[in-house]
Amino acid sequence: MAFVAWSVATAAPRRPATPPPRPAAAGSAELGPLAQQYDVLEAKQASFAAAKLARRGLALSIQLTGPDSEAADVWRRRLASALVRIGDSSGALAIHKQLLAAAEKRHGPESAGVLGAIVELRVAYPDDARYDEREALMQRELALTAKLHGERSIAYADALSTYAGLLASHGEYAAQVLVLEHGLQIHEALAGDAGTLVRAIGALANACWWADQRPRAIALFDRMLALSGALTDTPDAPLKSRADTLWSVVGTYRQGGRDDLARPLAARATELYQAEMARLQREHPDGDELLFLLGYLSSAYHQGGDLVNADAMTEQVYALASKRGDTSVWGGPMADLRRRQGKPREALALLERAQADARRTGPQLAMLYSAPIADVLGELGDYPRAERVRAEYRASIEHSYGRRSTPYAIAELADVDLYVALGKPERAAQAMADAFDVFERDLQRTLQIGTQVDHALSVSGDGYQLDLAINFALHTAPRSASAARLGLTTLLRRKGRSLDAIAADLGAIRARLSPGDRQLLDELASARAQLAHLTVVRPAATGEAELAADIAGYEGQIQKLEVQLAGKTTAYRTAGQPIALAAVQNAVPRDARLVEIASFQPYDPKARRAPGQPLAPRHYAAFVVGKTGDPALIDLGPAPVIDDAVEQFRKAVADPDNDRARELGHALFALTMAKIAPSLGGATTVLLAPDGALDVVPFAALVDDRGDFLIQRFTFTYLTSGRDLLRLGHAIRPRSGGVVFADPSFDAAAPHAPHAPHAPPAPAEAGARGKRSPDLAGQTWQRLPGTAQEADAIVRQLRGLTVFRGPNATETALKAVHGPKILHLATHGFFLRDVPAPPADPASPAAAGTISGTPAAGGARDNPLLRSGLVLAGANQLASGDDDGILTAMEASGLDLWGTQLVVLSACETGVGKVTNGEGVYGLRRALVIAGAESLVMSLWQVDDDATRDLMAGFYARLAAGKPRSSALRDIQRELLARPRYAHPFYWASFLPAGDNTPIR
């Protein structure tokens, strides 16, 4: 967490001597009328006049009673309040800092008065500014609240809730969950107001949902709904609070893509709203409650797709608001309705009236209407006026937050489509570039705090930026080199960014390893091992409820340890070098080309999409760039078409009996490399950073128009992003020689195993080809004799190797390895496919707001890092040294491979996992990069034992001769292709080289 020196932030400035204050009675007589005038102006929402009068009142108060008087502080608060309403947040902030300094001087640093001043100052900060100052202020508020009220008080629980919101605003989602857990524990222990408990449970549930702890969140939502129903769903109690609670959960489920869970809750909430509306129409037809309830119902119908009822409710709520003479809140929804009805001029009139009504409240609320007014003006073709409105809006944002602020960047980005319509593509490109620079600064700050999950969630929410940049370069400015450079720069800044942050964090800890850091890493590794054992092996003697409880316990322990480690690494992290295209290009070899592929959402900036209208299919695009020159950008076409071709091709190459491999390889070539190749400029070395389904394609096995495999023309090296070239330029020295694990004795029960013996699964039928099979459930692992011969061949090629064989090739021995020069793992690998969750049954408890039978263990079972891994000695007995012999990718991410130049995964499907657009493959591939490996060789399907032995022997012979890593693999693959026995891509194309392509040092 970040802290600032309070002696600097709150020190009162030295003032020159002032004349003695006039008598207080005289001051009261003069200040009283001013205070009354201020109250009148505030009631009229005349904010500018109120601010001017407050300045007069403050000056007079200081003159009459002195600068440090309580009377002066009263006027300071009035002035600060008025400044906030006119958008001068910086001025208000300065005043509240003065108030805090005065409270410290008057009451002492640990007084209730100071606590109140701290809260006022904290509230005065804009939501999007000065995080470090707000964090330090919040820490002080927590400490003082605990001292004055106690750590088990409602006041402290409320302060924790506020702190949780601050953490979430800066991307620290895991820490937010822990803070809200603490607050909930306080509320439960105090057994106070039941409504407060419901809100605390709901806040924690929502935090868990967005922190990717979905099963736990659903269970908490169920508890909240049950308590809410017991509190309010009675004949004598109003129904709106129950409906509001239901609707809050509906919104979370819908935003999270779980409409199956949202649908029954939405139906129940709508029923309650309708019942409450009928009551209010009878009893309070002109009241505020009915007005806001109509708005809720309109939103409920709209989100549920019932536009007929939604529109009817919108008409009713606007009519009632108009009757009351204030449309400042409801003019926007009504204008949206008119726009959908094709009546933009009526929409503009509605928005202008709402803005005029809003000005009585304050300029900030009025300015919120500027963006939709500009949009409607654009629809009407009045682009010059739209530009003026947007400029006024930006000026307001700049006044409140500054030109380099996130709100200003968001406002700039919203101007892009307008500039395009005005025929100003250069201005549009500059607005995007300026905004993206601010977003990059924000992302760098986010990546300096928080946990791995926090980083992934923060990066995943920024995909719209890449969509905007690629669409602009493809369609708006297709001949603009600067637009193409901006698109590629944006891609380099976003793609796989969380992976870099995770690897950097662990590298930072290992570089400065203290006893405390080592203990945290050991505890985290132990907790992950226990979680992996429970979720992958699933002990038969453990009941489902007990298993779920154990898994939840380990998940909570892991989360707490990750937050602690995040706090440790915060001290080590730096913002890092700016990610510039020029730096990446400089790292591209002269004879190579970088090919960056991205999945993006195409759209027409001039088209207005109706609610519920489906998006166009995603596309793939490819940027191609060399060491010098501008990038080329190619639209590869719809992603579903390419993804289908990928699936068909992978099935063919993974089956040696499938004779369509060449045909399907050419079909995928036509969709991808055929379009990319003309931009390669004759280069035959390709640094390839795929995306989406293309992440698991062996491009060397594609077939060109001449009928040749691409391995005959190109040397491919796979990257997560071209940004990898910057990281790979800073090599770390290995700390030990090469290490080989081969021919594990899967039946060997090694001593000191902590897990109780577990009956092994029934033996699987042996495959005819001796595949290193990935099937985990229902199989006893069979010995792979080819791996012993493979190890012998490697030892003959490279000196100084340490080999772990038979019963010694244990999981515990592998975890004890530290920074070997080369790590070769020849054994069984596994990758468990996704098991889709069953759809919710409307008749199930979910219809009443409870979880639909999904076991709490589902969260861990769905973790892609727990669904892939390697099998080591003793796995059939679940006894492998001090472990169970099943090394999951989650556990592999904790290996110490800092300084390891090459990891070879000579096993099945070690390069596959859960594919995520923009983030690569979640599995062993990702885990070993996190662990520190410079380069990898990994497989995409169940490999043949004999072919793999021959391939690896040839690969290491070429490495020993000084060949670059990818070139060495390509050479032996071409040799196998030339052998009739191994000519099918199944035998030679499975293994991919990723990472550094220089020779082994």
Side-chain angles (χ1 to χ4, degrees):
M1 308 301 172
F3 294 92
V4 294
W6 275 96
S7 59
V8 175
T10 61
R14 299 184 63 177
R15 301 183 180 88
T18 56
R22 293 166 59 183
S28 299
E30 296 185 44
L31 288 173
L34 282 180
Q36 293 175 358
Q37 293 176 46
Y38 177 88
D39 291 341
V40 170
L41 291 173
E42 190 177 50
K44 292 180 177 179
Q45 299 179 347
S47 303
F48 284 100
K52 185 177 180 179
L53 189 143
R55 292 186 192 279
R56 286 175 52 201
L58 176 58
L60 182 58
S61 178
I62 291 174
Q63 180 184 355
L64 295 172
T65 63
D68 298 325
S69 67
E70 293 190 13
D73 283 353
V74 170
W75 278 102
R76 287 190 177 98
R77 288 187 173 88
R78 287 172 174 150
L79 176 57
S81 177
L83 290 176
V84 168
R85 287 196 297 277
I86 66 174
D88 187 1
S89 57
S90 297
L93 197 61
I95 291 173
H96 279 292
K97 288 182 178 180
Q98 295 173 17
L99 287 167
L100 175 58
E104 290 173 325
K105 182 177 180 179
R106 189 178 299 123
H107 304 294
E110 295 185 338
S111 62
V114 166
L115 178 58
I118 289 173
V119 172
E120 289 178 342
L121 174 57
R122 186 248 302 158
V123 172
Y125 275 93
D127 289 340
D128 228 353
R130 305 187 194 182
Y131 178 82
D132 289 348
E133 290 183 26
R134 293 160 65 206
E135 161 74 21
L137 196 64
M138 192 70 241
Q139 291 288 349
R140 189 178 179 195
E141 180 181 336
L142 285 167
L144 191 50
T145 302
K147 182 177 182 66
L148 295 176
H149 300 281
E151 291 188 2
R152 307 299 291 177
S153 64
I154 291 293
Y156 189 69
D158 290 343
L160 287 172
S161 179
T162 302
Y163 183 39
L166 177 62
L167 291 169
S169 73
H170 209 245
E172 295 186 76
Y173 305 110
Q176 177 201 20
V177 168
L178 295 181
V179 169
L180 289 173
E181 281 179 342
H182 188 183
L184 177 58
Q185 290 167 2
I186 294 173
H187 287 298
E188 290 173 329
L190 293 174
D193 177 62
T196 301
L197 180 61
V198 166
R199 288 189 292 273
I201 295 170
L204 177 57
N206 197 63
C208 288
W209 182 269
W210 296 116
D212 210 24
Q213 300 177 31
R214 299 290 173 86
R216 183 183 180 202
I218 294 171
L220 284 164
F221 278 133
D222 292 344
R223 182 185 173 197
M224 179 186 73
L225 293 175
L227 285 173
S228 175
L231 287 172
T232 64
D233 206 359
T234 62
D236 299 326
L239 302 176
K240 185 176 180 297
S241 60
R242 166 70 166 159
D244 289 350
T245 304
L246 283 164
W247 194 246
S248 68
V249 181
V250 169
T252 300
Y253 284 161
R254 281 183 171 157
Q255 291 178 50
R258 289 300 303 272
D259 196 58
D260 57 322
L261 296 176
R263 199 177 302 112
L265 301 183
R268 178 61 179 148
T270 302
E271 291 174 4
L272 294 172
Y273 280 139
Q274 289 172 332
E276 182 69 359
M277 183 181 70
R279 182 185 71 82
L280 290 173
Q281 286 175 329
R282 292 192 307 269
E283 300 175 8
H284 307 286
D286 296 323
D288 288 339
E289 290 184 54
L290 180 60
L291 184 66
F292 282 93
L293 187 57
L294 286 168
Y296 269 112
L297 264 175
S298 173
S299 176
Y301 284 127
H302 194 278
Q303 291 189 30
D306 185 352
L307 295 183
V308 174
N309 277 315
D311 293 349
M313 289 295 163
T314 301
E315 298 273 9
Q316 287 186 51
V317 73
Y318 188 77
L320 185 55
S322 298
K323 181 179 178 181
R324 294 162 59 90
D326 184 5
T327 65
S328 60
V329 175
W330 308 106
M334 190 64 186
D336 282 342
L337 171 58
R338 292 292 181 256
R339 291 173 75 183
R340 285 194 289 108
Q341 293 172 339
K343 301 175 181 178
R345 294 192 183 282
E346 291 186 27
L348 180 61
L350 290 165
L351 289 169
E352 289 174 335
R353 177 184 173 184
Q355 187 176 56
D357 289 345
R359 283 198 178 95
R360 294 199 299 269
T361 300
Q364 286 186 312
L365 179 58
M367 273 297 169
L368 293 178
Y369 280 99
S370 296
I373 286 174
D375 289 344
V376 177
L377 288 170
E379 290 179 25
L380 292 169
D382 191 352
Y383 298 119
R385 185 183 168 200
E387 186 175 20
R388 290 195 299 273
V389 171
R390 294 291 312 177
E392 291 172 3
Y393 177 65
R394 287 199 314 277
S396 171
I397 297 295
E398 183 178 2
H399 177 73
S400 296
Y401 299 99
R403 195 177 185 87
R404 294 291 296 167
S405 67
T406 303
Y408 190 84
I410 293 171
E412 274 198 302
L413 209 57
D415 292 343
V416 170
D417 290 345
L418 175 60
Y419 290 134
V420 171
L422 283 165
K424 300 179 178 180
E426 298 83 3
R427 183 67 187 90
Q430 188 60 54
M432 278 196 295
D434 291 345
F436 290 167
D437 284 346
V438 172
F439 296 148
E440 169 64 11
R441 178 204 66 194
D442 292 347
L443 180 59
Q444 287 193 2
R445 289 175 180 171
T446 297
L447 295 177
Q448 292 177 56
I449 58 173
T451 66
Q452 298 179 14
V453 172
D454 296 338
H455 298 160
L457 291 171
S458 295
V459 172
S460 67
D462 295 333
Y464 72 93
Q465 298 172 22
L466 182 59
D467 292 341
L468 179 60
I470 292 179
N471 279 289
F472 181 81
L474 278 174
H475 305 301
T476 304
R479 296 180 181 84
S480 169
S482 61
R485 296 182 73 84
L486 175 62
L488 181 51
T489 300
T490 305
L491 179 57
L492 290 169
R493 286 174 168 179
R494 298 290 155 180
K495 191 176 182 184
R497 192 70 177 276
S498 65
L499 174 61
D500 276 5
I502 297 166
D505 290 349
L506 290 175
I509 282 188
R510 288 171 181 140
R512 304 166 174 82
L513 202 60
S514 67
D517 294 339
R518 166 59 68 189
Q519 181 179 353
L520 280 175
L521 284 174
D522 289 346
E523 290 177 5
L524 181 60
S526 175
R528 285 174 168 170
Q530 296 292 342
L531 178 64
H533 179 76
L534 289 174
T535 56
V536 175
V537 179
R538 298 178 68 87
T542 306
E544 188 67 33
E546 182 183 356
L547 176 64
D550 288 345
I551 287 175
Y554 282 118
E555 287 178 328
Q557 183 181 350
I558 289 169
Q559 182 188 55
K560 289 180 174 66
L561 290 167
E562 286 178 341
V563 170
Q564 286 181 267
L565 276 170
K568 289 272 186 181
T569 55
T570 295
Y572 306 149
R573 295 172 182 166
T574 61
Q577 59 180 325
I579 297 171
L581 176 56
V584 173
Q585 283 189 263
N586 188 55
V588 176
R590 291 193 178 277
D591 61 346
R593 293 294 184 273
L594 170 64
V595 177
E596 279 277 3
I597 298 177
S599 168
F600 74 100
Q601 178 62 59
Y603 70 93
D604 180 356
K606 298 180 182 179
R608 179 173 173 80
R609 193 167 65 91
Q613 179 183 341
L615 294 169
R618 295 185 71 84
H619 278 218
Y620 285 110
F623 290 91
V624 182
V625 71
K627 193 173 190 69
T628 59
D630 294 314
L633 173 58
I634 305 105
D635 188 345
L636 299 180
V641 175
I642 295 174
D643 291 350
D644 182 64
V646 168
E647 183 179 0
Q648 298 302 318
F649 172 65
R650 278 177 48 82
K651 288 179 180 177
V653 293
D655 180 1
D657 296 323
N658 191 316
D659 59 4
R660 298 187 64 204
R662 283 182 174 273
E663 170 197 343
L664 295 170
H666 181 260
L668 185 54
F669 168 82
L671 294 170
T672 55
M673 283 301 296
K675 301 175 182 178
I676 294 170
S679 299
L680 294 176
T684 58
T685 299
V686 178
L687 307 175
L688 183 61
D691 199 9
L694 294 171
D695 266 312
V696 288
V697 168
F699 277 76
L702 299 186
V703 178
D704 65 18
D705 291 334
R706 298 174 300 185
D708 295 332
F709 290 111
L710 293 192
I711 196 172
Q712 304 287 22
R713 294 174 55 188
F714 301 108
T715 299
F716 291 100
T717 297
Y718 293 80
L719 306 171
T720 299
S721 161
R723 195 179 56 257
D724 291 354
L725 298 174
L726 303 178
R727 172 174 55 86
L728 296 174
H730 303 281
I732 306 299
R733 290 179 61 86
R735 283 167 286 160
S736 63
V739 176
V740 177
F741 282 74
D743 192 21
S745 297
F746 302 113
D747 291 320
H752 312 302
H755 306 301
H758 172 57
E765 182 178 348
R769 298 182 182 274
K771 295 177 183 177
R772 302 181 186 183
S773 171
D775 299 328
L776 182 62
Q779 174 174 324
T780 295
W781 303 102
Q782 304 294 330
R783 185 189 172 201
L784 296 168
T787 63
Q789 301 165 27
E790 186 177 312
D792 292 338
I794 295 170
V795 168
R796 287 194 294 270
Q797 300 297 336
L798 298 177
R799 297 179 180 179
L801 296 178
T802 300
V803 181
F804 292 86
R805 303 174 183 265
N808 296 318
T810 63
E811 182 181 356
T812 300
L814 177 55
K815 290 178 176 178
V817 169
H818 297 288
K821 184 175 185 179
I822 293 173
L823 177 62
H824 185 96
L825 302 168
T827 182
H828 284 294
F830 66 87
F831 170 60
L832 305 178
R833 308 291 171 182
D834 281 323
V835 180
D841 180 358
S844 74
T850 58
I851 192 168
S852 56
T854 305
R861 290 288 290 172
D862 290 339
N863 188 329
L865 295 183
L866 289 170
R867 298 208 308 270
S868 59
L870 299 170
V871 185
L872 293 151
N876 288 338
Q877 305 299 323
L878 298 182
S880 186
D882 293 331
D883 296 277
D884 57 24
I886 307 293
L887 180 82
T888 65
M890 174 180 279
E891 294 171 281
S893 69
L895 295 176
D896 181 4
L897 302 182
W898 208 49
T900 299
Q901 296 181 32
L902 173 66
V903 176
V904 177
L905 298 171
S906 184
C908 296
E909 298 192 299
T910 50
V912 297
K914 179 182 178 182
V915 176
T916 303
N917 288 335
E919 279 297 309
V921 181
Y922 281 72
L924 275 172
R925 186 193 307 193
R926 181 182 182 87
L928 292 167
V929 171
I930 291 173
E934 282 182 21
S935 62
L936 308 173
V937 170
M938 55 212 169
S939 62
L940 294 177
W941 54 78
Q942 299 180 34
V943 296
D944 180 85
D945 200 17
D946 294 338
T948 301
R949 176 198 61 212
D950 294 349
L951 184 145
M952 290 300 167
F955 173 58
Y956 279 99
R958 287 158 176 79
L959 286 179
K963 275 271 190 180
R965 291 166 237 193
S966 300
S967 301
L969 183 61
R970 180 198 178 203
D971 280 359
I972 185 59
Q973 287 178 319
R974 292 175 66 188
E975 181 180 309
L976 292 181
L977 168 61
R979 300 180 193 176
R981 179 187 178 191
Y982 293 144
H984 193 285
F986 166 78
Y987 295 101
W988 56 265
S990 175
F991 287 95
L992 302 183
D996 198 335
N997 183 33
T998 58
I1000 294 294
R1001 297 181 298 280

